[in-house]
Every structure is written in C-alpha cells, then in structure tokens.
Amino acid sequence: MATLPEWLRPGARPVSLLPQRATAHRLLRRTLGAMGRSISLLVREPDGPGVGALRTADPRAKLLAAVGLIVATTFLRGLLPLAACLALALALSAAAKVPGRRLLPVMIAVPLASTALLLPATLNIVSGGPPLLVLWRSAGGAFGPWRLPEVVAVTADGLLVAGRMVLRTTACAALALLLAATTRPQRLLGGLRSLGVPQAFVMVLAMAERYLAVLLRSAQELHLARLARSVAPIGVRREEAWAAAGVGAVFRRTRSLADAVTLAMVSRGFTGEVRLLRPACWRRTDWLLVAAAAAVAAGLLILDRRLA
Amino acid sequence: MHIPDGYLGPQTYLPAWGVMAPLWSWASARLKRTLSVRRLPMMALAAAFTFVVMMFNVPLPGGTSGHAVGSVLVAVLLGPWAAVVAVSLALAVQALLFGDGGITALGANCLTMAVVMPFAGWWTYRLLAGSSPAGSRRRWVAAAAGGYVGVNAAALVTGVLLGIQPLIARDPSGRPLYCPFGLGVAVPAMAVSHLLVIGFVEAAVTALALAYLARTEPGLALADQTAEGPSSRGLRRLGLSVAALALLSPLSLVLVARFGGGTAWGEWSAGELSRLTGYLPSGFQRLSSLWRAPLPDYGPPGAEGVSVVAQGVWYVVSAALGVAAIGAAVLVLRRLFTRKERDGHAA
Amino acid sequence: MSGSQGETVFAVEAVRFAYAGQPLCLDGVSFDVRRGERLALVGANGSGKSTLLHLLNGLFFPGEGRIAYLGSPLTEAVLDAAPFGPRFRQEVGFLFQNSDAQLFCPTVEDELAFGPLQMGWTQAEVFRRIEDTLALLEISRLRGRFPAGLSAGEKKRVALASLLVLAPSVLLLDEPTAGLDPRSQSLLLEILEALHTRGLTLVTATHDLTLLPHLADRVLVLSEEHRLVADGEPEPVLADTEMLLAVNLIHAHSHRHGRLVHTHPHQHVVAHEHVHGHHHEHEDQAEPKK
C-alpha cells in the first residue's frame, strides 16, 4: 500500500468543526423512524398461538368483515351509532391485543387532525344555524369582493357536523388499523386471491410488498449515511437535491432488481401465466365472523335510521 | 392529498371506484400489449418505488415538511399507464396492508394521484420535452413543469371531490353529512397550498431525480423514447380527451345544480329517473327500494338552491380559468424552448 | 436422477457474448459439462463467469457460437415451446447470487410452490413436495415466514429448496457462499456435497479459491480477457501461480517476517467479500439492456 497522507496518520490535528445543530437531524430521524416502523411491519413474524381469536380467523373473512363495517360506517349519520361503531372497533382491538404502540398513535393523531381541520365547520359561516356561542361581532361591511360576516359564532349544527366527521374518521381509521394489525400482510394477500381479484394482480401486489422491504432498507441506508455525516442544516434547495438523488438511486436499484427478478422467474418456468397456491377452505368461525359483522352493520344502520 | 375514510360520501366514492375499475383493466391490458408479460416484476417494483418516494421528506419553508408523490416521475420513466398501475398499487398497499386508512376512498385517491396526476404531468412533459435528448436541459425543465402541473391538477380534483360533498349529501335538516366545506373553501385551500409550496417540491424532486439518473446512467431510456409511451397521434387524442373532460366536468356540476334543486345528486328517486330517461327498468324498481334503505332521502338544501347554482358557476369559471392558464403557460414555455433550441442550432 | 453417468449435459461451442451496447463479455469459450460432474468456473470480477451461467440457463443467448443441452441447441424459440421449455426449466436449476431477487414470493411456502405450479402439477402434489423439501433441508419451521425477514444463510437455503422442489438434475450456482457466515457456508457446502453424491451435476461460479477443493472436481479459469485459460483438476490449476497471477485471481504481496522482507504470490482469499450483510445489493454485475 502507498504511504498514508499526513492527515490520515494517527495523532493528526483535526480540522475545526461547525457546531452541531439538532435541527439538521430532526427530519432525518423522523423519516428514519417511519421507515424503520414500515420495515418492521413488513417483516413481522407470525404471532404465537392463542393471541386473540381475531388473529386466527381467515384473512378473507376478516377483510370482508372489516370492509363491510367501514362501508356501513360511512353511511351512518347519528352521533350515537358512530360512537357505538368506534367503541366496537376499540373493544375488538383490545380483545385482539393490538399493541398500544400501534393503536395509540392512530387514535390520537386521527381525531386531533380531524378536529383541527373541522374547527371552522363548527362556525355559523360554514354550517349555518342559530348561534350557540358568539365569538365575534362586527358591523359587517365589505373587504374587496368579500362581504364580512356580521356575527361569527359556534352553532349547535356546526358542532353536530364536526362531531360526526371526527367520530366517523376515527372509527374508520380504527377499523382499518384493526384489520391491518391482526392480519399479516402476506395472509391478507392470500385473502384477496380468493375474493375474485385476478391472480396476476395479487402476484404483483405481493411482489410490491415483498420488494418494498428491500427498497425501504436501501432508502434507510441512504438516510443513515446522511445522518452519520450531517452536521448543520443544508437548506431547502440542497435538501431537495439530496432527496432527488436518493430517489434516483432507489430507482436504479428498482430497475436492476426488476431485471434480476424477471430472470429468476423465467428460470423457474414462468411464461407469463400466473399460478398461485389455492388458499385453505373456510371454517365455520370464518362464516360466523362475516355474519356477525353483517349483523352489526345492519344493526347500526337500522339504529341510525330510527334515531334520525 | 390522501383523502381519509369518512370525508367522502358513498355518492362520491362509489362512482370513483366505478371510474377506476375500467381504467385499471384498460391500463393492465395496455401494459400487456406494450411490454412483455414477463416484465410483471417491473410493475411490482415500480409500486414499491412509488411508496418509497413518498417516504422521502423534504423540509418546507415554515418549519414543516412535505413529500413528493412521484406519479409524474414514474410516468416519465416508465410511461403514464405504468404509473396508473404502480401508483394504484402503492396506494392499495398503504391503505390495506399498513392500515393507514382510506379504504373506501381508495378509488378516489387513485383517481387523483394515479390517473389525473400522471396524465396531466405526462402531457405537459411531452409537450415541453419534444424530442430533446435524455440529459438535456429542456427535458429537465419539462419534467419540473410536469411535476408541478401534475400535482396541481390532482390537488384541484381532490378539492372538487371534497367541495361537492356539502352539495350532494345533507341530512334532513340540511346539514352536510361529509366534508362540510364547499367548493369555495376546499378548492382554494387545496389549490393555494399546492400552487405555492407543494407543487415546487414535486417539480424539484421530479426534475432533479431525472437529472441524477441521466447523469449516472447515460444509457437511460425514458418512457417516450421506448415503445411504452403513446405515439404523437395518441398524444393528440389524449390531449383532446383531457380538454373534453375539463369542459364536461363543470357541465356535470351544472346538471347537478339544475336537477339538484329538487333532489341531491345520486339520489334520484325512481320516479324522477323514469321521468328523465322516459322509462323505468323493472329490476330498478326492486333495486331502488333496497338502495333507499341505507341511502335515505336527504332533504333538499331548500334555500341553499341559489348557492348551489352560485357555487356551480364559480366552479365552472375557476376550472375554465385554470385550464386556460395551464394551457397558456405550457404553450408559452413550449414556444420559448423551441425558439431557444433553434437559436442554439443556428449558433 | 435422469440420464446416464458421463453423457454430455451441456456442450458450449465457441461462444461469444456481449450485453447490448457493451464490450464483449465472453470471447470464444468452448467446453463440455458431463453428467454427474462437479465443475467450477473461476475468474476475477467481470471475467464473465456469471454471464456464462445465465447463458447455460437459457436466460440470455450467445451472439456467436452455440450452447446445446442434451444435444438440443438452446434458443429462445426452443425454450418457449413445450415440451422442451418446461422440461429444461424443471431439470436445470439456477441459484442466483442475489437471494433477494430469487425469493420474490410473499412467504417461503409460496416460494417453493412457484416452480411446481408453473409446471402445472396438482395442488396436492405441490403440497407434498413442499413438505418433503422443507424437511430435507431442515427448514420446516420457516414455512410461513416472510423472505425479507430471513438471515442470509436462511435465504440461501430457501432459494436452494425452491430449486430442489422441482427435482432438477443440474444445478447452476452463482457465488453460492458469498455473504454467508462460516457456519451457513459449511452447512451449504455439506448440502451440495450430499446432492452431488446423489448424482446431481453442479456448475459453480466463484472467485473464492479456498472453496474449490470442496466444490469441484474440475476447474475452468476465465481470464480478464473473457477467454478460457485453464481446464483441469483443482490441484494442478491452483498450483499454477503464474496463470492465476495473470488472470488477477491472486496478487503478489510483500510482507515482513521478522527483519526479512520478501515478496511472494499471495492467494488473496476473502471468504466474505460482501461484508455489508444480507440486505445489501450487489450491483457489480452488468445489467442486461433490452
């Protein structure tokens, strides 16, 4: 080996560093956290036996039940049926032992975000109706082409509209999470396979999910390498350039993997026609689950109609 | 831009699924014809790629951060029909496998991010890029414009989908059942944030990623340089159909406003339908009684009738202005670039 | 196993090959592979040994020269037609260097089922084969697992299982031990040894010279000029330091013994060249351009 340059020898004086600033890392760490969570969800291994009856049910049954309930929820109008639906989703999550670290972020973020978004909807200017709590009164008048409202107030109608939206979005999110948290992605795909979804589509979806883990890992490596070397914020312009280069690098890997996978498939006899394993037969509990979900959905809809 | 479950009523998300179903089958048929079936893995990998692109966060002015959608980038690299399939799959993985929600709204989300966005972006990009070589500055700018136009078109459609909710679904007392903000709020809210900030992120990521690839992979073949891109005749037809759609969509709203005076959209009673079409299929009579159970007769907005028309007119005007503005910008840019290139040749 | 001992499995005649738009990658290569043989292709990075395996598997086709399998020339048209195409795919298995590319199914079970289902076997038969193959390689516990969550050694074994489930008579192995820890490496070598004693023909591409005695009875050396420069038993080939130096498989290395400095040819043996672990992609292979 050639002789080492002077600055690489032991005991060389370090070049002075810029002061480290935490802001440079916050976004990177957040992105890395999200990627790590996604990867761990993808490579999650089968749960031990006996952890919640919902986990062992057939994925097709769970998919039908969850989608049925979510669709029913979007038809509900009354606060009470919506609250009942949310309570049901939470009770089922507890019964299925959905871990709190998965449930809590969603159950905090979704209602908070919808509340923030829907706060203006509680006002008379959006929802109309008699005022309940007057926030602001003015003489009216005009501002350019806009007419200023004379009264800004929270109304009962507005509260109902916003409350309905917050409850509905939260209930739907809880149900979607319940499905995803109790069913491994791979089994859910098996479920799609026998619900009339074309096999080629299922295969592509499964493969997308399979390689998502691989591509996420390389994106994670890019972010880690960046985190290891970043000292101070580099500005939006360069952040964008860095992200774009990262996206480009991931695309190159995407293409080389696609070529390699194609060869691997052809090598094992793939000629273009997709053939997959037949999934297992339905058991009585699976039918029961779907029937129960249908009954609950119908019950909620009838309750909703009665109350209206 | 992801619409979660609960913001769109069934009157909107069901038709969105209905629109997507033929588009998906059309897209996969086209892909089957243009690229060998053996290239199935490319679709899967492109979907995974789109998902990963959405995870790259870029800081935005004001301390927040955003991410690119990547639909236009996928369209530029692999063709718009490939983007339809790849982005749809990425959205499906997010909604179903990760439990991020948006299961009922998946059709609508695919419509905006997997159809409107890649096609609007692709169309702009093709118009501007012409037949310039892969690494050229012109192509780079065309990709940026494509990203910007694509994401804004998608935001506009998202705003419209959200904004028509209070027009078409109200409870008996006239209160909105789903997204309570009308077109006058939803469209500007979506449009302004995307026109001013998010559009530039998408533009930058699309263009810079393309520039990076052109630099690191000199042999890179883009979608319009291979068989996967539509021919120029196909492009013209596509342009015409987009223009027709842009003209027709406000018309549908006018129709809603016209008939909406009596009943909200999607809730024509059997009687009104028979009046409209002149006859009533016998099966529909039975079906309509079933249909009406979960979909109650939402009361007409009553006094709001005027505002429906007003909002409809507002939308027609804004959509026409938007389409005209985008079209003009594209034409001006194109003229500028062709002239510059001609000058370049002369020099 | 089908076929009689000693018959010619592959006949490679004056093959020249280049990926589209790239320089020549195999230049006039000729050799035969006989039934029951253990053959190793060695050469420095980029010498074309991996490409040669792809050609033997009928994934790419030579620009000049020809390759025959059991007397029938391997061409795109022949491989697309039944019964030769499916039979060839069933009889010749290819273990890719990148396990991530080879394991493309959602679970290990689906992975093993893929090949047999392409052959059109019944579901019951497929399930029976999967069970037996998993038991044979002692990986039954991995059946429901997700390939992305497996270790490098487990991935390699699952990939091998996905080939063995088809009962192949020839295995093409591309750097089978690269990136494996010593334990997984010796486990894999044991399995390959057992398969060979049961009559399988093995063709291995490697640049790990320490493995040659375990992997091969015959060694072919590819030079950096993409030509075949040696063909013989491992010992004489490994003893030919001049030739190995010339093809850059070993390099002259100077080091110190006490106060004595001397220079001698050194087998630069790196068992784990790809130290970045199982999820790292190796992009040193030239990509096929369409």
Side-chain angles (χ1 to χ4, degrees):
Chain A
M1 199 191 276
T3 44
L4 289 174
E6 155 275 317
W7 48 267
L8 201 51
R9 284 187 207 143
R13 237 190 30 216
V15 181
S16 65
L17 297 172
L18 283 169
Q20 187 109 2
R21 267 193 278 166
T23 44
H25 294 157
R26 206 177 300 143
L27 185 62
L28 274 173
R29 285 196 194 284
R30 214 172 62 214
T31 310
L32 270 169
M35 287 178 170
R37 275 193 300 279
S38 302
I39 293 173
S40 63
L41 285 183
L42 282 171
V43 300
R44 177 164 52 131
E45 290 310 339
D47 308 292
V51 187
L54 265 184
R55 290 183 192 272
T56 51
D58 191 283
R60 287 165 288 183
K62 277 193 276 189
L63 188 66
L64 280 180
V67 171
L69 279 174
I70 290 174
V71 168
T73 309
T74 63
F75 279 94
L76 298 179
R77 303 177 289 174
L79 291 180
L80 191 67
L82 282 168
C85 194
L86 175 58
L88 175 75
L90 292 177
L92 287 175
S93 304
K97 298 202 173 82
V98 174
R101 72 194 137 73
R102 252 201 111 183
L103 190 64
L104 281 178
V106 177
M107 285 303 101
I108 292 170
V110 171
L112 267 185
S114 340
T115 308
L117 201 64
L118 289 158
L119 270 183
T122 60
L123 302 176
N124 59 339
I125 40 178
V126 174
S127 300
L132 206 64
L133 173 70
V134 176
L135 296 179
W136 186 59
R137 222 181 266 281
S138 79
F143 179 77
W146 290 285
R147 206 161 48 80
L148 290 179
E150 279 161 28
V151 175
V152 175
V154 175
T155 64
D157 286 341
L159 284 177
L160 174 66
V161 166
R164 190 151 60 191
M165 285 299 296
V166 172
L167 276 178
R168 194 192 293 117
T169 48
T170 313
C172 286
L175 285 167
L177 184 71
L178 179 63
L179 172 69
T182 56
T183 320
R184 282 202 304 148
Q186 299 81 303
R187 294 199 65 208
L188 200 57
L189 293 168
L192 288 176
R193 202 178 290 181
S194 58
L195 289 176
V197 179
Q199 297 218 327
F201 187 82
V202 175
M203 172 110 203
V204 172
L205 192 60
M207 218 183 261
E209 195 233 335
R210 162 75 182 88
Y211 287 107
L212 185 53
V214 179
L215 292 186
L216 273 175
R217 273 183 181 143
S218 54
Q220 197 183 26
E221 273 170 23
L222 287 172
H223 280 83
L224 270 175
R226 168 77 197 288
L227 184 66
R229 282 179 292 126
S230 65
V231 175
I234 57 173
V236 171
R237 185 76 51 101
R238 284 178 61 196
E239 282 282 358
E240 279 176 350
W242 181 82
V247 165
V250 175
F251 181 76
R252 286 177 56 184
R253 236 173 98 63
T254 301
R255 246 203 1 203
S256 69
L257 257 177
D259 288 336
V261 173
T262 306
L263 292 179
M265 290 176 77
V266 170
S267 173
R268 295 223 314 264
F270 183 66
T271 51
E273 196 191 330
V274 176
R275 298 191 184 100
L276 302 172
L277 274 180
R278 235 193 336 260
C281 294
W282 283 53
R283 291 161 302 175
R284 190 181 295 169
T285 48
D286 303 327
W287 289 113
L288 270 176
L289 179 65
V290 174
V296 169
L300 283 170
L301 283 170
I302 290 168
L303 176 71
D304 194 50
R305 295 280 292 149
R306 284 275 163 78
L307 290 176
Chain B
M1 204 186 303
H2 292 65
I3 305 174
D5 284 321
Y7 279 83
L8 298 182
Q11 305 91 324
T12 313
Y13 72 67
L14 290 175
W17 281 98
V19 170
M20 280 315 294
L23 278 173
W24 280 322
S25 73
W26 193 8
S28 42
R30 260 197 85 97
L31 288 178
K32 232 176 235 175
R33 212 172 47 221
T34 49
L35 82 178
S36 154
V37 198
R38 291 182 175 177
R39 302 284 293 157
L40 201 104
M42 193 64 230
M43 288 292 74
L45 263 306
F49 169 70
T50 314
F51 190 105
V52 175
V53 170
M54 293 188 202
M55 295 210 83
F56 273 81
N57 275 304
V58 176
L60 299 177
T64 54
S65 66
H67 64 82
V69 179
S71 303
V72 180
L73 181 62
V74 176
V76 167
L77 292 169
L78 303 171
W81 291 104
V84 171
V85 175
V87 180
S88 298
L89 283 167
L91 292 173
V93 168
Q94 268 177 340
L96 276 175
L97 304 182
F98 281 87
D100 286 354
I103 291 178
T104 57
L106 186 59
N109 281 330
C110 286
L111 190 63
T112 57
M113 280 181 276
V115 178
V116 172
M117 181 165 172
F119 271 105
W122 167 260
W123 190 45
T124 311
Y125 161 79
R126 286 291 293 121
L127 277 176
L128 293 177
S131 53
S132 54
S136 67
R137 205 181 122 78
R138 179 171 165 187
R139 209 164 259 279
W140 196 83
V141 173
Y148 187 79
V149 170
V151 83
N152 274 294
L156 179 69
V157 176
T158 308
V160 170
L161 286 177
L162 289 170
I164 58 174
Q165 296 308 308
L167 296 181
I168 63 176
R170 285 166 176 268
D171 65 10
S173 328
R175 291 174 295 230
L177 273 169
Y178 301 100
C179 177
F181 304 107
L183 288 166
V185 176
V187 173
M190 291 300 291
V192 167
S193 60
H194 283 78
L195 281 171
L196 294 183
V197 183
I198 302 172
F200 291 104
V201 172
E202 190 75 42
V205 170
T206 308
L208 293 173
L210 194 68
Y212 171 88
L213 282 170
R215 202 170 59 236
T216 54
E217 248 179 293
L220 179 76
L222 299 170
D224 57 305
Q225 294 163 331
T226 59
E228 284 162 43
S231 63
S232 65
R233 219 182 86 218
L235 196 71
R236 210 171 303 132
R237 212 182 303 149
L238 184 73
L240 282 175
S241 46
V242 167
L245 270 177
L247 284 174
L248 280 175
S249 57
L251 253 181
S252 71
L253 231 96
V254 172
L255 277 175
V256 173
R258 174 72 189 77
F259 296 108
T263 324
W265 190 22
E267 289 162 45
W268 289 307
S269 64
E272 269 165 286
L273 199 75
S274 69
R275 192 153 42 77
L276 279 173
T277 56
Y279 79 104
L280 183 70
S282 61
F284 187 80
Q285 202 126 38
R286 250 179 298 129
L287 202 76
S288 73
S289 58
L290 277 178
W291 184 241
R292 288 164 72 87
L295 246 187
D297 238 354
Y298 299 110
E304 311 267 296
V306 181
S307 106
V308 170
V309 176
Q311 279 183 310
V313 169
W314 184 91
Y315 169 70
V316 173
V317 171
S318 67
L321 277 177
V323 169
I326 290 170
V330 165
L331 283 179
V332 166
L333 278 171
R334 189 169 195 206
R335 187 63 55 82
L336 267 173
F337 271 99
T338 30
R339 185 169 312 152
K340 199 178 257 172
E341 210 149 82
R342 214 173 296 141
D343 292 351
H345 283 302
Chain C
M1 293 300 150
S2 59
S4 57
Q5 203 71 15
E7 73 177 316
T8 304
V9 181
F10 284 110
V12 180
E13 280 169 44
V15 162
R16 284 160 68 92
F17 178 82
Y19 293 102
Q22 285 181 18
L24 212 58
C25 168
L26 287 171
D27 189 3
V29 172
S30 302
F31 64 96
D32 282 356
V33 180
R34 298 192 180 282
R35 178 75 67 197
E37 215 168 24
R38 275 199 311 178
L39 185 72
L41 296 168
V42 301
N45 283 337
S47 58
K49 53 192 191 303
S50 175
T51 305
L52 190 50
L53 286 188
H54 282 78
L55 291 174
L56 290 179
N57 199 221
L59 297 174
F60 305 134
F61 302 94
E64 279 173 48
R66 49 172 246 149
I67 297 180
Y69 174 72
L70 299 179
S72 329
L74 282 185
T75 62
E76 208 157 0
V78 168
L79 278 171
D80 279 342
F84 182 82
R87 208 192 75 198
F88 177 79
R89 295 292 173 214
Q90 182 254 308
E91 287 177 355
V92 181
F94 189 0
L95 189 73
F96 286 77
Q97 180 181 359
N98 179 358
S99 301
D100 268 331
Q102 183 143 27
L103 305 178
F104 46 78
C105 293
T107 66
V108 169
E109 180 179 57
D110 287 309
E111 199 60 63
L112 265 69
F114 184 84
L117 288 172
Q118 300 310 308
M119 298 299 148
W121 298 351
T122 64
Q123 301 260 335
E125 173 70 14
V126 173
F127 276 119
R128 196 171 69 88
R129 294 263 188 142
I130 292 176
E131 211 130 300
D132 293 347
T133 312
L134 288 172
L136 180 72
L137 294 185
E138 295 167 23
I139 47 174
S140 300
R141 73 204 148 77
L142 301 181
R143 186 166 184 159
R145 294 269 300 264
F146 184 45
L150 301 178
S151 73
E154 287 171 333
K155 277 184 193 168
K156 229 3 140 203
R157 269 196 283 167
V158 172
L160 190 58
S162 72
L163 305 178
L164 292 182
V165 72
L166 281 169
S169 55
V170 181
L171 279 185
L172 308 171
L173 310 150
D174 195 358
E175 303 283 359
T177 55
L180 299 186
D181 59 49
R183 198 180 141 272
S184 311
Q185 213 175 74
S186 51
L187 201 63
L188 183 71
L189 289 176
E190 257 172 52
I191 295 169
L192 292 178
E193 175 81 49
L195 291 173
H196 174 245
T197 52
R198 283 169 212 188
L200 255 76
T201 308
L202 303 179
V203 181
T204 312
T206 183
H207 49 209
D208 189 345
L209 299 183
T210 51
L211 293 179
L212 282 188
H214 308 281
L215 272 173
D217 305 320
R218 183 179 155 207
V219 178
L220 301 182
V221 182
L222 277 166
S223 70
E224 284 184 306
E225 288 73 44
H226 318 292
R227 292 199 189 91
L228 220 52
V229 290
D231 179 350
E233 285 179 23
E235 264 141 59
V237 170
L238 284 179
D240 190 352
T241 41
E242 218 161 284
M243 182 273 295
L244 292 179
L245 267 172
V247 300
N248 264 337
L249 267 170
I250 58 176
H251 71 156
H253 189 74
S254 66
H255 57 164
R256 207 185 276 262
H257 295 293
R259 270 179 297 160
L260 197 77
V261 178
H262 73 152
T263 303
H264 69 110
H266 184 86
Q267 295 199 0
H268 194 96
V269 176
V270 188
H272 325 290
E273 200 182 39
H274 308 278
V275 285
H276 298 300
H278 50 279
H279 56 259
H280 199 91
E281 197 56 36
H282 311 296
E283 288 184 326
D284 51 354
Q285 270 172 271
E287 263 173 56
K289 296 265 160 41
K290 291 277 151 94

